[in-house]
Amino acid sequence: MSDSPGEDVAVIRAYEDGPLLVRGSFELRDETGAVIDPGRATIALCRCGKSGLKPLCDGSHALTKKRPPREGAA
């Protein structure tokens, strides 16, 4: 794979506690091999399993994060 500018390749970036962001030329398929039209050129793939739009991320991972207790909370 080349790093030359203008080459239309998929780039997948993993975000800590978040989705996989996919940019570039890609084809998304379901478990049967049928093509899924993501409706956009950049997509976020769910890694937490909580999304209602699987395999796409809907931000549900943000709701499952453990938050530190607030000061004064009993």
Side-chain angles (χ1 to χ4, degrees):
M1 180 164 41
S2 165
D3 289 335
S4 63
E7 188 173 337
D8 198 18
V9 298
V11 175
I12 302 171
R13 183 170 179 188
Y15 284 87
E16 185 176 347
D17 297 327
L20 297 171
L21 216 57
V22 183
R23 290 186 174 102
S25 180
F26 64 89
E27 185 173 76
L28 184 61
R29 293 182 176 263
D30 69 11
E31 63 276 0
T32 68
V35 174
I36 298 172
D37 179 7
R40 56 185 61 111
T42 299
I43 62 169
L45 294 174
C46 176
R47 290 196 303 163
C48 74
K50 307 280 187 216
S51 176
L53 300 172
K54 290 178 204 152
L56 303 176
C57 175
D58 67 2
S60 293
H61 59 274
L63 301 174
T64 63
K65 286 184 185 177
K66 291 183 181 178
R67 297 188 177 132
R70 294 190 330 209
E71 276 188 46

